[in-house]
Amino acid sequence: MADVPTAADMPMLGLGTWENEDHDQCAESVRTALEMGYRHVDTAQAYRNEDAVGEGIAAADVDREEVFLATKVWISKLSHDAVLASVEDTLDRLGTDYLDLLYVHWPAGDYAPEDTLPAFDHLQDEGTVRHVGVSNFEPRHVDRAREVLDAPVFANQIELHPLLQQAALREYAAETDLNLVAYSPLARGDVFEVPELTDIAEKHGVSEARVALAWIRQLGVTAIPKATSEAHIRDNWGSLSLSLDDADLETIEGIDRTDRHVHPDWAPAEWD
């Protein structure tokens, strides 16, 4: 079994569950991943699969304490009292009494730093949440969150892949000791259609998915690719054994594209 590198105590390869809405399929993919060696599972209130994720964790032959479990509070639940009530429901669905990482899903909707973030502090103080995170935040949002929170901002989860390399956010994270977590790290399958990635994949005898995930890891960023089949879960896991050389990294860095797949109406103004 491959060793999973960690960022702080967060495994740098996890299983994403966005759009994994079939209950039985989701539970089975979580169980399969954990028994394969994954120790990081990511979900969200908005994914409507927390109960299935919890079922998969319970079914796996892995102790809960070995699993880094992360979820996110949706934008309509970000008032102080709604955070506390919704997280209680989340814990019930997941079948756990604590979360390793709890994110603000977007700086949007009911999000107001002075109202929202003290609830996150409260959850950490009482031991319900080990780490506080944010998602889809730009530097100005993270700076403001840091001003309000007593807890450190542990991570920012963002869309990041070879076609959206997020150089500015990566630089900011490096300068401020902030972990980055990449969602949609395979660009929703588009990495399979990029000639530069195909050339690197053929050179190493691996898939384009493994190339993209290895590149993200070598940047020091955690990746949480969604996968449902055992074959895809295993292929992503194989990225841990791939080391890209300087020429590979330079080639990927030279891919001059900004292909954003997630851009809802409430996204930060910087995205326009």
Side-chain angles (χ1 to χ4, degrees), residues 19-229:
E19 296 186 335
N20 194 351
E21 297 174 351
D22 180 284
H23 181 98
D24 291 344
Q25 174 183 269
C26 181
E28 180 61 14
S29 65
V30 170
R31 184 198 66 78
T32 297
L34 290 175
E35 295 191 347
M36 192 177 295
Y38 286 73
R39 291 296 182 268
H40 181 174
V41 179
D42 181 89
T43 183
Q45 293 173 351
Y47 300 172
R48 301 183 183 278
N49 62 12
E50 289 176 325
D51 54 345
V53 169
E55 185 177 307
I57 293 172
D61 188 20
V62 175
D63 290 341
R64 164 67 183 94
E65 291 73 20
E66 296 182 31
V67 181
F68 188 94
L69 178 58
T71 192
K72 310 172 197 72
V73 180
W74 186 237
I75 65 175
S76 63
K77 305 292 186 181
L78 288 173
S79 69
H80 183 280
D81 291 348
V83 169
L84 300 181
S86 70
V87 169
E88 185 174 345
D89 291 340
T90 278
L91 294 171
D92 287 342
R93 288 190 292 267
L94 288 168
T96 186
D97 57 5
Y98 73 98
L99 299 165
D100 295 277
L101 176 56
L102 182 67
Y103 295 98
V104 176
H105 205 150
W106 292 85
D110 292 342
Y111 177 68
E114 297 81 0
D115 186 45
T116 303
L117 298 177
F120 279 69
D121 273 329
H122 173 79
L123 290 167
Q124 189 187 53
D125 288 344
E126 70 177 13
T128 301
V129 171
R130 293 179 57 214
H131 297 296
V132 171
V134 296
S135 184
N136 301 297
F137 274 41
E138 289 294 314
R140 64 183 175 91
H141 301 114
V142 180
D143 288 342
R144 182 62 186 136
R146 283 191 163 120
E147 290 173 356
V148 175
L149 277 167
D150 292 329
V153 180
F154 178 77
N156 186 14
Q157 186 176 130
I158 59 173
E159 182 180 351
L160 187 153
H161 45 72
L163 309 182
L164 183 66
Q165 298 193 12
Q166 299 279 27
L169 280 175
R170 284 163 38 208
E171 181 178 0
Y172 171 83
E175 292 173 349
T176 59
D177 195 28
L178 177 66
N179 295 305
L180 289 181
V181 177
Y183 70 74
S184 296
L186 306 183
R188 301 196 131 192
D190 285 358
V191 296
F192 295 99
E193 308 299 330
V194 181
E196 295 93 333
L197 298 179
T198 298
D199 288 345
I200 296 171
E202 291 177 350
K203 168 183 168 181
H204 292 279
V206 299
S207 68
E208 292 89 344
R210 291 193 187 189
V211 171
L213 294 174
W215 171 75
I216 290 169
R217 186 188 73 249
Q218 289 181 228
L219 292 176
V221 175
T222 296
I224 49 166
K226 174 203 168 185
T228 55
S229 71

